Amino acid sequence: MKAFSLSWLLILCSIPMYLSATATIAQTDTTSYEQKLEDGIDAFYRTNWTEAGAIFRELQQEQPHDSRAFFFEAMIPFWEYYFGDRSKKAAEQFLSQSQHAIEVSQNQLNKNSSDTTMVLMLSGLYGYRSLVAAAEKNYKEALQSGMKGFKYTRQLLALDADDPKALIGKGMFYYMVGSVPNGLKWVTNMIGISADMEEGFDALEQAAKLDSYVRNDAQMILAYLYEREQQNKKALKHLEELCGRYPENIIFQYNRARLLEKINQFALAREKYQMVVTMDTDTLDILKQKSKSRLQKL
C-alpha cells in the first residue's frame, strides 16, 4: 500500500483507485457466465491469478462484447506491478490489456450513455493507466489518462451519486478533494469542485458494509487512506476483515503484518510475517522476501 505515493496533482487526476464494483451489475445472457465470472473474481481475490486468468479468457471467448472479463484480467498485471517488483513487463502487459478493455467498454457505453457499469470501469481503467504511466515516467500518458479518468468519475457521480456502485468513486473523490493542501485549493476551486474528507470516509465506509465485491475494494482503499491519515488501528480493522475473507491473499496478509508492526504489536507481527513466508503460493514472491527481511529485523 505504500506504493501509492504520487504528487497531489496526479492523485487529483487519478481519483478512481477501485477494482471490482462492476461484479454486481450488467447481467449477461446466461447464469453460467455470471457464475464463472464470480468464480474468476473469487480466484482473483485469493491471488490465484493463474486460475483467474484462465477463467477470464474463457469468458472473453463466450461474451466478447462484455467488458467485465477484460477489465478483471487487466487487473492481474496491475496488482502484480503495484504490489510486486514494478517490472516493466507487468506494466506493458497492463497497458496493453487495459487498452483493449477500454475499447470494449467504450463500445458498450456508446450503445447506452447512462450505463453506470461502463462509466465506472472506464474511470477506473484510465485512473490505473495514469498511475502505471507515472511510475514508468511516461508523464504525458499519465496526465492524459488521469484527466480522462477524472472526467468519467464526475460523469458517474452525475448519473447517480447514491448508487452503491458509485460509492467508492464518490468516497475517493471527496477524500482527495477534501485533503488537498490549502496552498492548492485554488486548483480545485478553478475547476469548480469541492468536498469534505470525512464525507469521503463516510461513503467508503458505506461501501465497505455492502454485501458484494464492492466491499473488498472499499476496505482496501480505507486501509490505505486510514494509514495515510495515521489512523493505523482503523486501517488494521479493515485488513483483518479482508484477511478473514481471503486468507490465501498474500497481499492482505503481508500488509496486516506490516501494520501490526507499525502499532508495536511485534509478537503478532512476527507471527503474521512467518505466515506469509510459509504461504503455499507462487504469486508475488517478493512479499515473502520482504517478510523474511522484517523477521530478521524484528
Side-chain angles (χ1 to χ4, degrees), residues 11-285:
I11 289 173
L12 184 59
C13 292
S14 306
I15 287 167
M17 294 172 63
Y18 43 90
L19 299 176
S20 67
T22 56
T24 59
I25 43 182
Q27 297 295 317
T28 52
D29 294 336
T30 64
T31 303
S32 62
Y33 181 96
E34 295 301 320
Q35 184 58 58
K36 289 176 186 176
L37 181 62
E38 186 174 335
D39 292 343
I41 295 169
D42 185 68
F44 173 84
Y45 277 111
R46 288 187 280 108
T47 56
N48 188 338
W49 292 339
T50 300
E51 177 187 345
I55 293 173
F56 295 143
R57 287 188 292 275
E58 178 185 347
L59 293 176
Q60 290 165 17
Q61 293 295 319
E62 285 187 25
Q63 297 283 350
H65 303 298
D66 190 321
S67 61
R68 290 176 295 169
F70 294 96
F71 175 91
F72 282 107
E73 189 187 17
M75 290 302 99
I76 294 174
F78 177 80
W79 276 37
E80 182 181 354
Y81 182 82
Y82 257 96
F83 295 113
D85 57 2
R86 298 281 184 103
S87 74
K88 191 170 187 65
K89 179 181 177 182
E92 290 174 348
Q93 185 179 1
F94 165 72
L95 290 172
S96 174
Q97 291 183 357
S98 63
Q99 182 58 43
H100 192 179
I102 283 171
E103 291 169 4
V104 178
S105 299
Q106 189 62 62
N107 286 337
Q108 287 186 257
L109 186 61
N110 290 341
K111 296 174 183 177
N112 180 5
S113 61
S114 61
D115 188 337
T116 55
T117 304
M118 295 307 107
V119 178
L120 180 68
M121 282 197 288
L122 286 164
S123 66
L125 286 164
Y126 277 117
Y128 297 136
R129 287 177 65 86
S130 178
L131 291 172
V132 172
E136 291 294 298
K137 296 182 170 56
N138 184 350
Y139 298 115
K140 180 180 178 181
E141 172 66 26
L143 184 60
Q144 289 177 341
S145 293
M147 292 306 294
K148 287 178 181 176
F150 178 62
K151 180 192 76 171
Y152 283 113
T153 297
R154 297 191 76 179
Q155 183 179 345
L156 179 67
L157 296 176
L159 286 171
D160 189 350
D162 295 322
D163 189 305
K165 300 181 292 297
L167 282 173
I168 292 182
K170 179 181 179 180
M172 284 300 298
F173 181 90
Y174 282 10
Y175 171 85
M176 291 301 181
V177 175
S179 56
V180 168
N182 288 333
L184 291 177
K185 290 293 186 184
W186 64 270
V187 177
T188 59
N189 292 336
M190 183 176 66
I191 55 179
I193 55 176
S194 62
D196 179 78
M197 186 192 298
E198 286 306 314
E199 287 184 83
F201 277 119
D202 288 345
L204 287 166
E205 289 286 3
Q206 288 180 55
K209 293 181 175 67
L210 295 174
D211 187 20
S212 77
Y213 283 103
V214 173
R215 64 179 175 175
N216 296 329
D217 300 310
Q219 289 191 294
M220 284 178 60
I221 294 166
L222 282 165
Y224 166 68
L225 294 182
Y226 278 134
E227 183 179 359
R228 185 189 191 111
E229 297 301 319
Q230 300 182 7
Q231 299 183 50
N232 293 325
K233 290 184 178 179
K234 288 185 177 181
L236 182 60
K237 171 183 174 292
H238 287 291
L239 276 171
E240 292 281 8
E241 290 186 22
L242 286 166
C243 286
R245 203 174 302 135
Y246 297 101
E248 297 169 284
N249 186 307
I250 192 171
I251 297 168
F252 298 158
Q253 297 290 354
Y254 171 77
N255 280 287
R256 173 171 64 174
R258 188 178 55 75
L259 269 177
L260 284 167
E261 180 184 357
K262 207 168 182 180
I263 62 173
N264 300 323
Q265 293 192 27
F266 299 121
L268 270 175
R270 283 194 294 270
E271 176 186 323
K272 302 308 179 186
Y273 279 131
Q274 187 60 47
M275 179 191 299
V276 172
V277 170
T278 59
M279 287 181 73
D280 183 19
T281 177
D282 57 0
T283 299
L284 294 178
D285 190 62

